[in-house]
Amino acid sequence: MNLDTLLPNLGEWLRGTGPESDVVVSTRIRLARNLADYPFTGRATAAQKGEIVTRVKEAVGRVELPFKLDYHDVPGMTVLDRQFLVERQLISRELAAVLEGPRGVAFDAKESASVMVNEEDHLRLQVLRSGFALDDAWADIDKLDDALEARLPYAFHSQFGYLTACPTNVGTGLRGSVMLHLPALGITKQIDKVFRALQKINLAVRGGHGEGSRAFGDLYQISNQVTLGKSEQKILGEIKEVILTILQYERQARAVLMKERRQAEQDRVARALGTLGSATMITAEETMELLSVVRLGINLRLIDDVPATAVNQLFIQTQAAHLQKLVGHALDGEERNAARAKYLKTRLRELGSHR
Amino acid sequence: MNLDTLLPNLGEWLRGTGPESDVVVSTRIRLARNLADYPFTGRATAAQKGEIVTRVKEAVGRVELPFKLDYHDVPGMTVLDRQFLVERQLISRELAAVLEGPRGVAFDAKESASVMVNEEDHLRLQVLRSGFALDDAWADIDKLDDALEARLPYAFHSQFGYLTACPTNVGTGLRGSVMLHLPALGITKQIDKVFRALQKINLAVRGGHGEGSRAFGDLYQISNQVTLGKSEQKILGEIKEVILTILQYERQARAVLMKERRQAEQDRVARALGTLGSATMITAEETMELLSVVRLGINLRLIDDVPATAVNQLFIQTQAAHLQKLVGHALDGEERNAARAKYLKTRLRELGSHR
């Protein structure tokens, strides 16, 4: 399979049509699993990792679910393809570049489910959904997990639950994360207060692009830190409750914005579109910041000629690997900034915005 | 005469076609003159000022020169009309708003010559030219001065020369000023050094908009401070020499910009146009800063679809009084920012820039 066929697509989770999609970009659940008969990935030999790949590949191929997963080996992939899959959120940076030996990923055509093999754990199952959809994502990943467990002997301890390479994942092995777009809490400077409250109740907050990444474009991932001693339903229920509160805060902040500085906000949105459509050099970070302003403008109905889906797509398509695939060859940093600006200009023009 | 007929015009001096117009916007010479038989304006009675107006009006009406001057009384004018003439550089802020009693201004259809009556001095003659044109401006104003002197008894002292209300104007009564656009010296942070050197040789530097005004849009007026003890030719020769040096500095700085950061400059120009064409609220100051970037872009040939004349016109048309005349009614500050943005958007679209 040539990954380039994915290029014009948009992962289902990015359509921006899911529940509460004015604030919630996407929902992700992942499960960490290991095979009982092998050492964890970090201590397994290349031969053992090869066997794990073979066994998972076979099991994945036999899974009968509404979505079909195709397996791809990572070691044979170009650096660009790996980065591309990272940007699509189908594999982690670690699987792409840090880890060694036999490893890979299986995912479906809609990019809503994936299974990484020989990441930190032997298996990392993931389901991605558009909008706020923890229940649906749980239903899907639970089925996928059952189907794989029927064919693979999971490392499971009657007292602790699923065993994992890192103790922080033991138990359910579950991490639920919700990506939120919180521009109004940013503008009204309430975001830090919200996040301090989250940390007290053991929820982690990260930038939109995974562990350790800075927050760009007002995108934040909120996820559980505790995996042990609670049922999956309880963990997900706790996340859900918190997200609903943050949702309410963000919407209140947006209402205040619209009441107190509608004209200024209108201007900010118009200028963001103007800059995106006219710059001849632009970094990924600035692009995200400006797209964030546009996304808010759409949700506040300050503009109506740019579809939310297009903005979600631009968030991904303007990232380094996507850009290089679109252009068809490797680009250095400066060249990427020029190519990014050109792509944005063309796309915004296509969107028919003769503003 | 209805001043609104001036609205679609552009003073000849703003065409941007004169010599060295890549750096020099315009050249202005003014002469301060007083009638021998009256106290200076500040000490004259209303009746005396009325007589002065009558006598100057009559003399101006008989002047036979290639340009015909029409006289307008200031006291009967609306505040908006006065401000409009200030923006056109045809009258001073003082004549518009600070001074009292009979006073006025005569100017020609091309707005290249004007005579203020009962400003600080009884007469303030002015000639404005596009580009760097001290000799041409001098030739014109000298003729106008001779023509008026033939009909009006000037206050002249055989030792001191022309007598004026303020001692700093005694002698020639001449102030030559050249408006320069110096963006590259600004970017490369050499501008302060240049200006410190100017002050040592008794030349004054002001923002583009007259006495005490801050420099916006990289526009600077350079003028002589000494009017006494030198001939007009010597004063103008000294200004000329200095301007030619600054011209050279600015052009060198532009060449360095193009060599070292052409792409960044291209981007800055494109973004400036993008912002001017997309903002929904914009202040006069920001407009000038952005138009300055565009003006530089035109002169560096980084853009070719916006004519320099149009940019010069926008500098004037986006000022408060012009804007209100264009819209047809009074506007408060916030409304002006919205009207200015709308006007800029429309004009840039008309310029056919489907960038």
Side-chain angles (χ1 to χ4, degrees):
Chain A
M1 179 185 165
N2 183 348
L3 287 181
D4 290 2
T5 59
L6 296 179
L7 192 56
N9 296 349
L10 191 62
E12 193 67 31
W13 61 279
L14 262 175
R15 296 232 173 263
T17 49
E20 325 291 358
S21 63
D22 57 329
V23 179
V24 186
V25 177
S26 58
T27 301
R28 187 172 72 147
I29 298 181
R30 69 105 167 115
L31 295 174
R33 299 290 185 255
N34 288 278
L35 302 193
D37 313 328
Y38 298 91
F40 290 131
T41 310
R43 303 186 71 92
T45 61
Q48 288 170 321
K49 288 196 264 189
E51 282 178 41
I52 294 164
V53 164
T54 308
R55 293 188 64 173
V56 175
K57 217 165 132 175
E58 199 200 336
V60 158
R62 292 185 183 203
V63 160
E64 280 177 29
L65 284 172
F67 44 85
K68 196 185 159 308
L69 305 178
D70 284 312
Y71 178 84
H72 309 266
D73 260 327
V74 165
M77 274 183 202
T78 63
V79 170
L80 190 59
D81 277 346
R82 296 175 194 198
Q83 200 186 339
F84 179 79
L85 291 178
V86 171
E87 291 173 6
R88 286 277 167 132
Q89 310 223 19
L90 290 169
I91 67 174
S92 64
R93 286 175 216 279
E94 289 66 30
L95 194 77
V98 181
L99 294 161
E100 290 191 334
R103 64 200 193 282
V105 62
F107 57 88
D108 68 317
K110 288 188 170 176
E111 302 171 36
S112 60
S114 75
V115 178
M116 284 191 284
V117 189
N118 287 330
E119 216 260 16
E120 184 180 294
D121 296 296
H122 296 155
L123 289 96
R124 284 282 178 103
L125 287 56
Q126 172 184 274
V127 164
L128 269 168
R129 283 275 187 159
S130 180
F132 191 33
L134 280 168
D135 292 336
D136 288 349
W138 172 249
D140 276 359
I141 205 163
D142 193 29
K143 270 180 228 146
L144 176 59
D145 187 40
D146 286 350
L148 291 176
E149 194 161 17
R151 286 170 183 82
L152 298 167
Y154 280 169
F156 184 84
H157 184 279
S158 59
Q159 191 188 344
F160 299 126
Y162 293 101
L163 300 179
T164 55
C166 178
T168 60
N169 292 316
V170 167
T172 55
L174 180 146
R175 179 97 65 225
S177 31
V178 180
M179 202 199 284
L180 299 175
H181 185 230
L182 304 176
L185 287 175
I187 295 169
T188 57
K189 307 201 186 302
Q190 299 173 73
I191 197 104
D192 289 338
K193 204 173 62 188
V194 171
F195 290 164
R196 277 196 300 271
L198 284 181
Q199 269 142 12
K200 277 188 199 151
I201 53 173
N202 277 321
L203 289 181
V205 182
R206 302 187 184 113
H209 286 265
E211 201 140 356
S213 67
R214 270 185 58 202
F216 284 118
D218 306 302
L219 293 172
Y220 299 91
Q221 272 190 48
I222 292 175
S223 58
N224 60 305
Q225 288 189 305
V226 176
T227 58
L228 187 67
K230 295 178 186 177
S231 72
E232 288 85 350
Q233 291 300 346
K234 188 161 165 52
I235 293 170
L236 296 175
E238 286 171 358
I239 300 176
K240 216 186 293 182
E241 199 181 328
V242 168
I243 298 290
L244 287 172
T245 308
I246 301 178
L247 258 175
Q248 212 178 346
Y249 289 158
E250 170 67 17
R251 284 180 185 150
Q252 275 165 3
R254 290 183 187 185
V256 170
L257 270 192
M258 285 298 270
K259 204 176 150 204
E260 291 177 4
R261 34 172 283 164
R262 186 197 165 95
Q263 273 197 303
E265 205 47 38
Q266 177 97 58
D267 182 51
R268 211 166 67 97
V269 175
R271 284 167 182 249
L273 273 170
T275 302
L276 287 167
S278 65
T280 63
M281 312 256 284
I282 193 163
T283 62
E285 291 73 23
E286 186 186 1
T287 303
M288 291 185 70
E289 298 297 347
L290 293 172
L291 287 174
S292 167
V293 176
V294 174
R295 193 183 195 279
L296 178 63
I298 293 168
N299 286 317
L300 295 179
R301 294 181 215 284
L302 292 171
I303 42 172
D304 54 15
D305 54 352
V306 181
T309 310
V311 173
N312 285 344
Q313 191 166 24
L314 289 175
F315 267 110
I316 300 294
Q317 302 278 31
T318 54
Q319 289 180 41
H322 275 76
L323 216 50
Q324 291 174 79
K325 282 198 169 279
L326 284 163
V327 170
H329 54 86
L331 300 167
D332 69 23
E334 286 274 290
E335 290 169 338
R336 279 206 296 279
N337 290 346
R340 183 177 294 112
K342 200 172 159 191
Y343 178 71
L344 283 164
K345 189 180 301 208
T346 310
R347 288 287 290 125
L348 287 174
R349 214 172 282 175
E350 279 167 13
L351 289 171
S353 40
H354 290 291
R355 259 164 262 103
Chain B
M1 181 184 162
N2 183 348
L3 287 181
D4 289 4
T5 59
L6 295 180
L7 192 57
N9 296 349
L10 191 62
E12 194 67 30
W13 61 278
L14 262 175
R15 297 231 172 263
T17 50
E20 326 291 359
S21 63
D22 57 328
V23 179
V24 186
V25 178
S26 58
T27 300
R28 187 171 74 146
I29 298 181
R30 69 103 167 118
L31 295 174
R33 298 288 185 256
N34 287 278
L35 302 194
D37 313 328
Y38 299 91
F40 290 130
T41 311
R43 303 186 71 93
T45 62
Q48 288 171 321
K49 286 196 265 190
E51 281 178 42
I52 294 164
V53 163
T54 307
R55 293 188 63 172
V56 174
K57 218 166 132 176
E58 200 202 333
V60 157
R62 293 187 183 200
V63 161
E64 280 177 29
L65 284 172
F67 42 85
K68 196 185 158 307
L69 305 178
D70 285 311
Y71 178 83
H72 309 266
D73 261 327
V74 166
M77 274 181 200
T78 63
V79 170
L80 190 58
D81 277 347
R82 295 174 195 200
Q83 201 186 338
F84 178 79
L85 292 179
V86 171
E87 291 172 4
R88 286 277 167 134
Q89 309 223 18
L90 290 169
I91 66 173
S92 64
R93 286 178 216 278
E94 288 67 31
L95 194 76
V98 181
L99 295 162
E100 291 192 332
R103 62 200 195 280
V105 61
F107 57 86
D108 69 316
K110 287 186 168 175
E111 301 172 36
S112 59
S114 76
V115 178
M116 283 193 283
V117 189
N118 287 330
E119 218 259 15
E120 184 179 294
D121 296 296
H122 296 155
L123 288 97
R124 284 281 178 104
L125 285 58
Q126 172 184 276
V127 164
L128 270 168
R129 283 274 187 158
S130 179
F132 191 33
L134 280 168
D135 292 335
D136 288 348
W138 172 250
D140 276 358
I141 205 163
D142 192 28
K143 269 180 228 147
L144 175 59
D145 188 40
D146 286 349
L148 292 175
E149 193 162 17
R151 286 168 183 82
L152 298 167
Y154 280 169
F156 184 85
H157 185 280
S158 59
Q159 191 189 344
F160 298 126
Y162 293 101
L163 301 179
T164 55
C166 178
T168 59
N169 291 316
V170 167
T172 56
L174 179 147
R175 181 95 66 224
S177 32
V178 179
M179 203 199 280
L180 298 174
H181 185 230
L182 303 175
L185 287 175
I187 296 168
T188 57
K189 305 202 189 301
Q190 300 173 71
I191 197 108
D192 289 337
K193 206 173 60 188
V194 171
F195 290 165
R196 275 195 301 273
L198 284 181
Q199 269 142 13
K200 277 190 200 150
I201 51 170
N202 277 321
L203 289 182
V205 181
R206 302 189 184 111
H209 285 265
E211 203 141 353
S213 68
R214 270 186 59 203
F216 283 119
D218 306 301
L219 293 173
Y220 298 91
Q221 272 190 47
I222 292 175
S223 57
N224 60 304
Q225 288 188 305
V226 175
T227 57
L228 187 68
K230 295 179 187 176
S231 72
E232 288 86 351
Q233 291 299 348
K234 188 162 167 49
I235 293 170
L236 296 175
E238 285 171 0
I239 301 176
K240 215 185 295 182
E241 199 182 327
V242 168
I243 298 291
L244 287 172
T245 308
I246 300 178
L247 259 174
Q248 212 179 345
Y249 288 159
E250 170 67 18
R251 284 180 184 148
Q252 275 166 2
R254 290 183 187 184
V256 170
L257 271 191
M258 285 298 272
K259 204 177 152 202
E260 292 177 3
R261 35 173 284 164
R262 185 196 166 95
Q263 272 197 304
E265 205 47 37
Q266 177 97 58
D267 182 50
R268 211 165 67 95
V269 174
R271 284 167 182 249
L273 273 169
T275 302
L276 287 167
S278 64
T280 64
M281 311 255 285
I282 192 163
T283 62
E285 290 71 23
E286 187 186 0
T287 303
M288 290 185 70
E289 298 297 347
L290 294 172
L291 287 175
S292 167
V293 176
V294 174
R295 193 183 195 280
L296 178 63
I298 294 169
N299 286 317
L300 294 180
R301 295 180 213 284
L302 293 171
I303 42 171
D304 53 15
D305 54 353
V306 181
T309 310
V311 173
N312 285 343
Q313 191 165 27
L314 288 175
F315 266 109
I316 300 293
Q317 302 279 30
T318 54
Q319 290 182 39
H322 275 75
L323 216 51
Q324 292 174 77
K325 281 197 169 281
L326 284 162
V327 170
H329 55 84
L331 299 167
D332 69 23
E334 286 274 290
E335 290 169 338
R336 279 205 296 278
N337 290 345
R340 184 177 295 112
K342 200 171 158 193
Y343 178 71
L344 283 164
K345 189 180 301 206
T346 310
R347 288 286 290 126
L348 287 173
R349 214 172 282 176
E350 279 168 12
L351 288 171
S353 39
H354 291 290
R355 257 166 263 104

